[in-house]
Amino acid sequence: MSLWLRWSLCFALLLPVQAQSRDLQTQVEGIRSVSQVKGQLKGLLESQKECGVGICVDALSTGVCDLVGALDIRVDGKIIGEASGFTDKVLPITAPDLKLMKLIWSQCKPTNYLYTNYPSVVHVGYNPSAKAAATVDKALKVAP
Amino acid sequence: MRRRDLMRQGIAACACGCAGSTQGQTLPLVVPNFTWDYYDPSNILIQETAYLAEMSLDGLLPNSNLPLLPIAQLNNIDWYATQDIPSLMMMQIDQVPGLETELTNLGYTIPCVTTRYGCDYTLTTLGQVEGLNWDYLYKFPSVLNLTLGELPSLAGLTFAMMPGLGTLPFSQIFQSLTGIPLPLFVGLFPSMVEVVARRVQRGDAAIFAIDRGHPWHTGEYRYLNSNMRVKLDTITTEVPGTATFHLEILICPFPGICFWSPPLPWPTAYEQSYALYIPPGINNFIPVYPPPVVYNPNRNIPANPGNNPLDPGDCSGCYGVAMQAYATAISQIEGGYASVGIWIARYRTRPLGRYQYLGSRSDVRAVILQNPGGAAFLAKVDSGVRPSGQEVLKNFTPAQQDSLFRTDTCNNLKIASGQIDPTTGQPFTGDRLIERAAQIHFSGPSRARIDWGRSDDLGRLSVYGYGKTALANYKRALAKLSCSRT
C-alpha cells in the first residue's frame, strides 16, 4: 500500500467523531471484544464464498477492512500502528490475534473497482494472496 | 436515396476537406476485417447519430411518405406530454377530428375565443386548454391519428426534435417513413462514420466509432482505398467522446516494394459532431457485411425470457418486473458489457461484463465455452492476466450477458417470491420483490441474508442498501419505458 494511501486511510480513521457518520461511530463503539470481531470476520468471509458477482466480493472485502480498521481504534492503534489515543476504553488483544489482524490488514488493498458505489473513488478491500487467505481462513475457522 | 443525394444534403459531411479521399481510383479495395460481435448496429438510435438527428425533416419530404406517417405509427414514441410535439399546441382544436369530444370526456374546460359572433370554440388552440400541456398523448387517440404532415411548421423540424423519431433505430428509419423494409447496410448511408459513445451510468462502459453502422474499435483500420488507410487510435471517455486518428499512405518506390508511411495527421473527431467520408470504392463497391439483425417491430410483446437479448423499450419480464429496466438498474451499480473487474486472487477469477458475474461461475463458463476461443479466454482469466474489454466482448458477448442475466434474474425473482418478507410476514411482492431479487443477485439466495446489513457491519454497501439502490434505479429506468404508462 502506498504511503499516501496509508496516510489518507489513517487520516480518515482519525477524523473527529462528530465529523464521521453516526453509523461509523456506532460500528466502532459497538465493538466489545476481539472475539466478536473475529466472529464477524468469519461471517463475512464465509458469505463471500457464496458471491456470484463482483460487487458482492467487493462489498464484503471492504467490510472486512472496515472491521479491522474499526478494531484498530478500539485496540489503540496496535494493528495499523499509525495512531493511538482515540478511544476511551482500550480493548485487550492477544499476540496471536494481533498477528492475525495485522495479516488481514496487510491484505487490505486499495482499489477503485466499482467506485460508483462509494463516496470516493478509492476504497480498500481484503484481497489476499492465496497463502494469506489460507492462513486467515484457518485461524478464523472459515468453512471451506 | 442514393449516396450522392445524401451528400448533397450535408448528411455525409466530409470532415476537413476529405484530404484522404481518392474516390474513383482503380486499385482493388482492401476490405478490412470488421468485428461484429460487440453491438447490434440495427439498434443504434437516430438521436445517437448526430447528422441524422439534426437533419431537417423537410429534406426527406419529397422522397418519402413522411407527411403521411401517423404519429401513432412511430414505433418508439415515448408517450411524452403533448407539449413535446413541436407546434402541436398551436393547432386549433377543430383541426383535430374527435379531439373536442375527448377533451370533454376527460373533464377539460375548453376556453372559447370571443368573436363578434360570440364565443367560438373552434378557434381555440390546444395550447389554450389549461393543463393539457402535461398530459400524455396516449389519452388522445385523435392526436395520435394525426399524420406528421398535418402538424404545423413541419418543415424545419429535425429528427431530434420529434419524440419517437429520434428514438427510432437508425436501421429502421426508412422502413418507418416509407413502409418498405429497407436494410441500412445496402448503401443508403455508405459514407457515415460517427463517433458514438455508449455509456452506462456514470462511467464509460464502452466507446467506439460507427462506420456505416459497424463498430470501429481502436487499433483498427478503415481503408479509403488500397493506397490510403485511416487508423482509429484512441477514443477518450469524457463527454463528449473524442476520437483521434492517423492516416497512412502506401508508398511503392520500386515495383513490388511497398510500405506504409509513418503516421500522418488526420482530423480529430468529436462525438456527435463528426462524420468521416469513406468512399465506396470502384464501381460504387461497398464491402459486404453480415446481414443486420432484424429489428423486432413487436418489441412490446413479451419476449421469451432467457432467449432474447434485451432490447431498448422491451417491457417484457418476469413476475411483473420489466427486464429492460431491471437490467439497467443493476448495470448502473455494476458495469458495462466490456467491464473487467479486479483480479480476485482468493478465487482466482475476475468479474466480467455488464453484470459483473464472476468468471468462476459455472453458468458463465458454460456460456463462454460456447464461443470459439472461449476456453483460451477462460484460461487467460483464470491465470490472472487481465483480458481487454474487446476480449470480453468477443468471448462473453453482450447478447450472452443479457441472456444469462435474464435467466438468472427470472430465477432470482422466483426464489424471492417464495421467501417471506420479514417486514410484512408475507411473501415478497411489488417493490420489495425487486429489492429482494437484487439482494439475491448481490449475495445469493440465503434467507439468512434478507435485508442483511441494514444496521450492522458490512460497511457502506450492504445487502439491504444494494436492494434499495437497485429499486431506485429500476424505477427511474422504468419511467422511461412505455410500459410504465400503459
Side-chain angles (χ1 to χ4, degrees), chain A residues 40 44-45 47-57 59-60 66 111 113-114 116-117 119 127-128 133 137, chain B residues 201-202 333-334 341-347 351 356-358 361 441-442 449 452 457-461 466:
Chain A
Q40 289 173 315
L44 289 173
L45 294 177
S47 299
Q48 198 184 48
K49 289 178 183 289
E50 297 179 33
C51 286
V53 293
I55 192 168
C56 175
V57 176
L60 294 172
D66 265 353
T111 180
Y113 176 55
L114 295 176
T116 48
N117 299 293
N127 194 357
D137 285 0
Chain B
Q201 55 144 350
R202 286 163 284 177
I333 306 174
E334 304 279 3
I342 57 171
W343 168 246
I344 305 169
R346 193 177 186 206
Y347 306 122
Q356 288 292 281
Y357 284 124
L358 294 185
R361 286 174 58 137
H441 176 79
F442 182 106
R449 284 193 289 279
W452 204 33
D457 53 15
L458 273 172
R460 299 183 187 91
L461 194 61
Y466 187 88

